[in-house]
Amino acid sequence: MTDHLWSGRFEQAPDTDVFGFQASFSFDRRLFEDDIRGSLAWAGALADAGVMSSEEAQIVTDGLNDILNRGLADRSFVTGDDEDVHAFVERQLVERVGDAGKRLHTGRSRNDQVSLDLRLYVRRQVHCLQSLTLELISALVDQANAAGSTLMPAYTHLRRAQPILVAHFFLAHIAALKRDYQRFDVVREEADAMPLGSGAIAGSGYAVDTERLASRLGFSRVVSNSVDAVADRDFVSSFLHTCALLMVHLSRVAEDLVLFTGEEFAFFELADVVTTGSSLMPQKKNPDALELVRGKAGRTIGGLAGWLATMKGLPSGYNKDLQQDKEAVFDAEDTVSASLPAVTAVVHNLVLSRKQTESAASGLLLATDVADYLVSRGMPFRDAHSVVGRLVRRLLGEGRDFESLSLEEWRAVNPLFGDDILKRVTAQAAVKARLTPQSTNPEAVGAMLEECQEWLALARSRVTVEA
Ligand code: ARG
């Protein structure tokens, strides 16, 4: 009978299918590196606590390092019939160093071990996802810079609303992505609690210096309750939520670009290198990458919802249901880490069609500015809204827009219109007339863009230092 970590208690070997069903090695092998780093630190802690001699700890350390190096050099080494990655590492260790290896699991359970591994893993991956987020932000910043003073329409209800700078449009998506970046910081902070010493549930029976162990593993604190610790996956929920929300934001970038690069808008041209053709219709140039990102957002949202349903109503302490955490984390991570570079490539290769965006940015969407003009001449806004509303209705009927009105016609609409109205009712004047810091006023946008570039440089240097 194959020996498992727990075989002593059993008369019969487990059914092959059932064992295979509950085993996790096929996916938790991704925790290989973290499992070994955790075990290296645990060996040190056991030696410090006098549970293992320092000679034995050294033998275990050498053995673990050998396994780590083999696994890092060749991922296919990390395979076997083992139940999970913890069993794999222990088997490899005992094969190498014998009895000393059998002492490593003293005072530890796979319950606190797997929590540690996943916390270490999430901490590393959050870092990678943040780097990828910064790359996309950087591509959007480049587009915002390149757009200069170019105007485009902004939409509410997907109807032309008011003119804005193209840079302002890009900065809007940047604002959401910056929040995602910061949300990953919160995930890291949540994962930053060292669970070893919790044992299976009641705490370890050996006086291990958990503070020291935490700092050895780069954690800033130790968990506060062993019962909570072996079943706390809040950091997983937060990670999945952050990934899902990031994907929601990516799907909105994707949707905007699907629309704005289509024939009807034609504000931007999609580069050949980020599109695909149709097998039937020779003229087609499809934004598949963007559509897939939009679609995959649904998958990530489903991952979060599924995981929360798994957690709901679990009794206290470790339950095997928790093993679902890993596939959820890996899937969200894979989805986000594939989607971010795809969107970055699309954004990086976008070509702005200035003529198209600017011609769409003038016309009746200047109605608010006409109303504001009347307000500047003393008319209450509600009355101005109504005067301009009637004018719009008339112009629509005549197939004209504001620019075609002569001064006499303006005055006939309302004597408050002076000869400066012609200058005031342009898209350029409209953006300049927006006055708040978050507005599309060119100076405000310039300041935001500058601030964003500084933020990006700082975030990048932080990501590099922590790598
Ligand atoms: N593969 C398990 C998991 O991912 C490891 C912990 C197993 N603990 C246990 N008591 N069976 O959750």
Side-chain angles (χ1 to χ4, degrees):
M1 158 175 164
T2 322
D3 254 354
H4 299 297
L5 296 175
W6 33 260
S7 292
R9 186 239 177 274
F10 293 89
E11 274 177 27
Q12 290 176 308
D15 174 88
T16 316
D17 289 342
V18 172
F19 181 79
F21 174 68
Q22 64 84 48
S24 52
F25 194 30
S26 61
F27 50 87
D28 71 13
R29 57 195 288 279
R30 266 162 94 149
L31 302 176
F32 168 73
E33 188 183 332
D34 308 285
D35 194 70
I36 294 202
R37 294 201 194 285
S39 289
L40 283 166
W42 185 245
L46 288 180
D48 291 347
V51 179
M52 236 192 219
S53 70
S54 51
E55 291 75 37
E56 279 173 323
Q58 192 53 54
I59 291 169
V60 165
T61 301
D62 293 345
L64 287 170
N65 276 324
D66 183 49
I67 301 167
L68 179 62
N69 292 334
R70 279 212 57 187
L72 290 181
D74 174 14
R75 211 61 196 174
S76 70
F77 164 70
V78 190
T79 35
D81 297 332
D82 307 272
E83 185 180 358
D84 52 32
V85 68
H86 325 295
F88 169 79
V89 173
E90 190 168 315
R91 174 173 64 80
Q92 289 288 338
L93 183 65
V94 173
E95 277 171 20
R96 278 171 177 69
V97 307
D99 280 354
K102 293 186 190 166
R103 289 191 199 283
L104 178 63
H105 210 55
T106 315
R108 185 176 69 169
S109 156
R110 282 181 297 168
N111 297 355
D112 54 357
Q113 187 178 0
V114 75
S115 163
L116 173 79
D117 292 4
L118 197 56
R119 285 167 185 272
L120 291 171
Y121 182 85
V122 164
R123 213 168 63 178
R124 287 195 293 130
Q125 296 315 318
V126 154
H127 196 75
C128 299
L129 299 181
Q130 281 185 312
S131 293
L132 294 174
T133 308
L134 292 183
E135 290 316 302
L136 175 55
I137 292 177
S138 170
L140 291 163
V141 164
D142 289 347
Q143 285 291 349
N145 267 321
S149 58
T150 309
L151 302 169
M152 68 183 282
Y155 296 82
T156 65
H157 311 266
L158 205 53
R159 305 289 191 268
R160 285 184 191 172
Q162 290 183 295
I164 57 168
L165 290 174
V166 171
H168 199 53
F169 161 74
F170 284 116
L171 278 164
H173 286 298
I174 290 171
L177 292 166
K178 276 170 72 179
R179 291 195 295 275
D180 294 322
Y181 178 92
Q182 284 153 351
R183 215 169 270 116
F184 276 128
D185 279 345
V186 177
V187 175
R188 193 188 356 244
E189 151 68 18
E190 228 172 324
D192 184 22
M194 204 287 297
L196 291 182
S198 301
I201 187 155
S204 180
Y206 301 86
V208 167
D209 183 343
T210 50
E211 289 293 343
R212 183 149 185 229
L213 186 52
S215 73
R216 206 178 248 161
L217 284 164
F219 286 92
S220 69
R221 65 183 192 279
V222 178
V223 297
S224 61
N225 178 293
S226 63
V227 178
D228 171 57
V230 291
D232 167 25
R233 295 293 186 277
D234 287 358
F235 67 101
V236 168
S237 308
S238 297
F239 177 78
L240 298 179
H241 173 252
T242 300
C243 288
L245 200 47
L246 172 54
M247 287 301 297
V248 165
H249 294 148
L250 292 187
S251 79
R252 298 184 64 180
V253 174
E255 174 62 4
D256 272 356
L257 295 181
V258 167
L259 284 173
F260 291 166
T261 59
E263 293 89 344
E264 275 69 19
F265 286 85
F267 290 170
F268 301 96
E269 175 78 18
L270 272 182
D272 285 2
V273 292
V274 296
T275 48
T276 38
S278 155
S279 61
L280 177 80
M281 299 163 283
Q283 87 283 8
K284 291 298 290 291
K285 183 167 165 181
N286 293 330
D288 293 41
L290 295 171
E291 296 164 78
L292 262 179
V293 167
R294 193 177 58 193
K296 281 178 187 290
R299 174 191 183 116
T300 321
I301 294 165
L304 169 65
W307 168 249
L308 291 176
T310 295
M311 288 299 290
K312 183 204 160 291
L314 279 189
S316 289
Y318 178 84
N319 296 275
K320 187 82 166 189
D321 315 46
L322 294 171
Q323 181 168 287
Q324 294 289 312
D325 59 0
K326 283 165 280 298
E327 286 162 296
V329 165
F330 300 153
D331 193 70
E333 174 206 338
D334 289 346
T335 304
V336 170
S337 65
S339 301
L340 276 168
V343 179
T344 304
V346 171
V347 170
H348 184 72
N349 288 290
L350 276 180
V351 179
L352 173 65
S353 308
R354 193 183 175 126
K355 240 177 70 197
Q356 287 290 128
T357 58
E358 298 219 320
S359 77
S362 62
L364 293 177
L365 81 177
L366 299 173
T368 311
D369 298 278
V370 179
D372 281 342
Y373 180 96
L374 290 174
V375 170
S376 75
R377 295 293 161 112
M379 188 182 283
F381 178 74
R382 194 49 59 218
D383 294 340
H385 188 286
S386 162
V387 169
V388 181
R390 266 175 283 140
L391 176 58
V392 166
R393 184 145 45 94
R394 176 187 132 199
L395 290 174
L396 281 171
E398 295 169 359
R400 303 168 61 188
D401 63 26
F402 297 121
E403 274 162 46
S404 69
L405 288 171
S406 67
L407 190 54
E408 292 67 47
E409 286 176 298
W410 278 111
R411 285 205 207 284
V413 172
N414 193 290
L416 287 176
F417 287 117
D419 46 15
D420 56 342
I421 182 65
L422 301 174
K423 280 204 313 287
R424 292 272 295 274
V425 182
T426 68
Q428 316 288 0
V431 292
K432 287 200 185 108
R434 310 270 77 79
L435 296 177
T436 47
Q438 70 269 45
S439 75
T440 195
N441 179 292
E443 273 177 34
V445 170
M448 287 296 175
L449 195 48
E450 207 166 296
E451 196 181 300
C452 187
Q453 275 163 310
E454 279 162 26
W455 178 89
L456 188 59
L458 201 75
R460 272 182 159 158
S461 65
R462 216 188 103 193
V463 162
T464 326
V465 170
E466 282 171 10

